Amino acid sequence: MASVRGVVDQVYLEVRAMAVGFEFKPSERINEIHLSREVGTSRTPLREALNRLVAEGFLTYRTGQGFFCRSLDPASILNLYEARQAVECEGIRLASRRATETDITGIRAFLLEIEPIYQGDAEVWTLVDLDEEFHMRVIRLSANAELERLLSNLNARSRYVRCIDMETRRSITPADHMRIVEALELRDADTAASRMREHISRRQEEALEAAQRAFSRLYVGDSFARRSPSGSVHA
């Protein structure tokens, strides 16, 4: 049983990485026979992995038709960012009450440590990794595992578009992040949530523009993504 579960988990991670990086075209029907050959497994563990990805929002399922890649339209991107805003604003409110001084000091130190990377010529995926790491560190201070799980999922589902967006904004700095931390240090939940909301709203507008570029890029054969051995997607 353990070995079977291990196979399913491995297939899940591999197909999830493909879905995150849109190696399947948006709204494209997934050919299970071809995919099972590509990942080197039978259709039974593949089907279980695909069902998990449907539950997580990476794929969709249509009765009588099969599995499909998620769409990449402005409405879908807007939904992700609205959900992210709700999760992160509530998360930072909780963090303002629950985080220790050491926790908050650690986030400030993290931002100061990575600031030179933003000024250099780091790869796009590195900048996206750092941005996601900051937001995950903040949400962990909420001491709410469900909010953390939700944000992790939202990050993965919006990662491709964020990489496209980051590619055009090479001058980005962590200044917005530091303003959020400053409000957190004061335990000012309202200001911290307001700054987080403003930060995400700006990124939302940029992401909606990036979604159009991302869609075009996928259909000229440039997936802009490569998978790491861990199964995550790097641009």
Side-chain angles (χ1 to χ4, degrees):
M1 180 62 72
S3 61
V4 172
R5 175 52 51 193
V7 170
V8 172
D9 289 344
Q10 182 58 43
V11 172
Y12 160 79
L13 289 174
E14 187 165 357
V15 179
R16 182 182 185 275
M18 298 169 74
V20 168
F22 277 103
E23 293 185 38
F24 311 114
K25 297 293 190 297
S27 303
E28 174 186 42
R29 183 178 179 278
I30 294 172
N31 187 314
E32 293 181 53
I33 295 176
H34 290 172
L35 184 57
S36 65
R37 291 172 181 165
E38 182 174 352
V39 300
T41 190
S42 66
R43 292 183 66 183
T44 298
L46 176 62
R47 177 64 64 90
E48 184 170 342
L50 293 175
N51 281 320
R52 285 173 62 180
L53 292 167
V54 168
E56 295 175 1
F58 292 98
L59 305 176
T60 61
Y61 180 77
R62 302 175 195 170
T63 304
Q65 298 182 57
F67 296 92
F68 291 77
C69 181
R70 69 194 188 282
S71 62
L72 185 61
D73 57 83
S76 298
I77 300 302
L78 180 60
N79 287 344
L80 288 174
Y81 273 80
E82 288 177 343
R84 180 183 163 195
Q85 189 176 98
V87 167
E88 295 208 58
C89 287
E90 178 59 22
I92 202 164
R93 284 184 178 279
L94 293 174
S96 69
R97 299 198 303 268
R98 298 175 177 175
T100 67
E101 295 299 323
T102 300
D103 290 334
I104 299 173
T105 299
I107 291 186
R108 173 180 279 275
F110 168 73
L111 290 180
L112 293 174
E113 178 185 353
I114 67 174
E115 187 170 8
I117 299 175
Y118 283 84
Q119 306 305 322
D121 58 353
E123 296 282 352
V124 169
W125 60 263
T126 298
L127 299 179
V128 173
D129 280 345
L130 292 175
D131 185 73
E132 289 182 357
E133 176 63 19
F134 167 75
H135 288 275
M136 291 304 299
R137 284 179 180 234
V138 172
I139 205 74
R140 288 185 194 114
L141 300 191
S142 71
N144 187 309
E146 289 303 314
L147 290 179
E148 183 179 343
R149 179 182 61 81
L150 288 169
L151 181 57
S152 179
N153 174 274
L154 292 168
N155 281 341
R157 289 163 63 193
S158 60
R159 184 178 179 88
Y160 184 88
V161 169
R162 296 184 70 214
C163 285
I164 297 291
D165 179 40
M166 189 70 78
E167 185 183 37
T168 64
R169 296 187 298 109
R170 300 297 300 189
S171 62
I172 187 172
T173 69
D176 276 1
H177 291 170
M178 189 61 80
R179 290 180 68 247
I180 292 168
V181 171
E182 288 168 354
L184 194 56
E185 289 172 330
L186 295 173
R187 307 289 180 168
D188 186 341
D190 289 340
T191 299
S194 176
R195 290 179 180 178
M196 182 68 81
R197 183 177 297 105
E198 178 185 353
H199 174 64
I200 295 173
S201 292
R202 273 203 308 278
R203 297 294 173 262
Q204 172 183 305
E205 294 171 4
E206 293 159 353
L208 288 173
E209 295 176 4
Q212 299 298 326
R213 298 194 300 275
F215 194 89
S216 299
R217 196 160 185 164
L218 286 167
Y219 282 93
V220 295
D222 184 359
S223 69
F224 194 68
R226 60 181 175 82
R227 277 178 284 158
S228 73
S230 65
S232 62
V233 171
H234 286 167

